[in-house]
Amino acid sequence: MKSLRIIIYLSFCVFGILEALILTGCEKELDFEYHDVESPLVIEATLSHEGSNVRLTHTTPMDEPMDLTPLTDAEVTITDLTSGSSRLLPLKEDGSFGDDRPGEAEHEYRVEVTAGGNSFTSSCVMKGATEIVDMMFQWIKMPYDYVAVLQVSFKEIPGDDDNCFWIRLLRNGKPYKWSVVDRRIASAGVINFVTMTTRRDIEEEDEKDLLLDGDEVTALVIPISREMVDYLTALEQDSNGPAMWQGNFCLGYFLASPIASKTIIFHPDELTEYK
């Protein structure tokens, strides 16, 4: 029996060596030439109670420095499909297209872009407005340290059973954090959004979360559609989301929605502890 075990063991060893040699012999370097693919157009279009803004850029190849220079050789039109009015959006000093004419709630709008011989269109119904009723910081005790928790409280939109909101936080005017919530967390018509921010021990905090005494934190609460929720969720997870533009291929979105905003100054010594 001992010799049989040895033979079986040697057989498995020989088979393993042969398998490894076969797999090694099949190795082949693949060159996908991703850098030769033409960079697609990115269209980021918004319409709010303050006016419209349409910014055109191109994606940046992985092996090149990021280029955020806007594309200005284009024609951009916005149409109120509810009223039937249409207008050409002028080019602004910052390289985007737009004007200060506000959108109207429950009106459907369409943006049309023509650039480089290609055409792109996207439609969106203007959402109703919400209102931020409170915004505050508190310390909360975590196993590793105290953390400043920010709560933003805002109203649901009456008559909209599909309330979804994009909450963008700015730190001293620059992007800080963002999240998406819906009406399921509402209580008595108010949605309380809570997120953790900076640690009390700033020496141990990452730059992306760090808040210093005197920093301005601004909350932007934007009502959005389920389609926009899916788009943002896919963006956060680095996966494919819904196509927001029709016509030739491009990336980006069109969002018609009023924006509620409120700013608070971060003073860590004045914060109370959450109970």
Side-chain angles (χ1 to χ4, degrees):
M1 292 295 294
K2 182 179 293 185
S3 59
L4 178 61
R5 289 197 187 98
I6 293 174
I7 293 172
I8 293 173
Y9 177 75
L10 289 174
S11 297
F12 276 115
C13 287
V14 171
F15 178 79
I17 294 171
L18 288 173
E19 183 179 33
L21 289 173
I22 292 171
L23 291 175
T24 303
C26 292
E27 287 184 0
K28 181 178 178 61
E29 184 176 336
L30 299 178
D31 185 1
F32 290 97
E33 295 292 338
Y34 69 88
H35 49 276
D36 289 339
V37 177
E38 183 178 354
S39 298
L41 182 67
V42 180
I43 308 175
E44 297 169 288
T46 59
L47 175 64
S48 72
H49 60 292
E50 295 182 342
S52 56
N53 191 82
V54 181
R55 185 175 179 85
L56 312 178
T57 56
H58 282 99
T59 59
T60 303
M62 296 178 63
D63 58 351
E64 294 181 11
M66 183 172 291
D67 183 6
L68 299 179
T69 303
L71 174 66
T72 58
D73 185 14
E75 183 177 280
V76 181
T77 303
I78 187 167
T79 301
D80 184 337
L81 297 175
T82 304
S83 68
S85 63
S86 181
R87 65 187 186 275
L88 194 66
L89 295 181
L91 180 64
K92 301 192 291 187
E93 291 184 0
D94 65 356
S96 62
F97 297 82
D99 57 27
D100 58 1
R101 289 181 58 178
E104 295 186 47
E106 300 183 6
H107 281 221
E108 183 177 6
Y109 293 89
R110 181 179 65 213
V111 171
E112 300 174 81
V113 176
T114 302
N118 296 320
S119 297
F120 316 88
T121 63
S122 183
S123 300
C124 185
V125 176
M126 185 85 170
K127 286 282 191 176
T130 183
E131 177 188 351
I132 299 177
V133 296
D134 195 17
M135 186 172 173
M136 63 181 296
F137 278 106
Q138 282 187 297
W139 289 119
I140 185 170
K141 184 68 172 69
M142 301 297 289
Y144 53 87
D145 196 2
Y146 278 91
V147 177
V149 171
L150 175 64
Q151 177 174 303
V152 182
S153 302
F154 54 93
K155 295 181 179 180
E156 284 191 276
I157 302 174
D160 189 346
D161 295 331
D162 194 26
N163 283 186
C164 299
F165 301 88
W166 183 16
I167 302 169
R168 298 180 57 207
L169 300 179
L170 308 180
R171 176 178 54 187
N172 300 321
K174 297 181 179 180
Y176 177 47
K177 295 175 178 287
W178 65 269
S179 187
V180 173
V181 300
D182 62 33
R183 66 189 302 272
R184 286 177 294 181
I185 65 172
S187 176
V190 175
I191 296 174
N192 295 305
F193 166 74
V194 178
T195 186
M196 292 196 296
T197 63
T198 189
R199 295 174 56 163
R200 176 177 283 178
D201 184 0
I202 61 175
E203 298 295 330
E204 297 295 325
E205 188 56 277
D206 294 331
E207 172 60 28
K208 66 181 181 65
D209 293 321
L210 180 64
L211 289 178
L212 301 175
D213 187 18
D215 279 351
E216 281 189 355
V217 177
T218 300
L220 306 176
V221 181
I222 310 167
I224 58 176
S225 65
R226 282 288 175 184
E227 184 181 34
M228 190 66 184
V229 171
D230 294 340
Y231 176 86
L232 292 171
T233 301
L235 190 67
E236 186 177 36
Q237 297 176 353
D238 294 327
S239 61
N240 293 329
M244 303 287 280
W245 292 87
Q246 291 75 50
N248 295 99
F249 175 74
C250 73
L251 303 174
Y253 61 89
F254 170 40
L255 174 61
S257 181
I259 303 172
S261 66
K262 190 176 182 64
T263 298
I264 188 172
I265 307 299
F266 181 67
H267 292 304
D269 294 340
E270 298 178 3
L271 304 191
T272 58
E273 185 176 345
Y274 177 79
K275 302 297 184 180

